[in-house]
């Protein structure tokens, strides 16, 4: 389940970045500012999901040399 959440968060981040780059809003109107702020919040949620669900890297124990 954790791997699914990681993959889903990563794919949502990529799709959101794609739409932000291809359909960048005009910041002259309040609708553009609201749209941009909603996209930024969505990106922050995706980043949080990626950080929380990232796969644990195997760690080597320290040797007693």
């Amino acid at each position: 389940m954790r791997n699914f959440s990681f993959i889903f968060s990563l794919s949502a981040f990529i799709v959101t970045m794609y739409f932000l780059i291809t359909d960048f809003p005009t910041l002259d109107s309040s609708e553009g500012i609201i749209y941009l702020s909603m996209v930024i919040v969505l990106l922050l949620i995706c980043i949080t999901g990626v950080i929380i669900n990232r796969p644990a890297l195997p760690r080597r124990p320290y040797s007693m040399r």
Side-chain angles (χ1 to χ4, degrees):
M1 189 69 182
R2 192 171 181 145
N3 290 335
F4 175 73
S5 296
F6 176 75
I7 292 170
F8 187 74
S9 294
L10 197 61
S11 63
F13 179 79
I14 291 170
V15 169
T16 305
M17 282 300 293
Y18 171 77
F19 280 114
L20 179 64
I21 292 170
T22 59
D23 189 30
F24 196 79
T26 58
L27 301 177
D28 296 338
S29 64
S30 62
E31 290 122 10
I33 295 171
I34 292 172
Y35 176 76
L36 183 64
S37 63
M38 288 174 64
V39 169
I40 289 172
V41 167
L42 181 59
L43 284 172
L44 291 174
I45 291 171
C46 293
I47 290 170
T48 304
V50 168
I51 290 171
I52 289 173
N53 295 310
R54 72 179 183 264
L57 298 174
R59 296 182 183 152
R60 296 185 317 176
Y62 293 109
S63 62
M64 299 296 249
R65 291 185 187 191

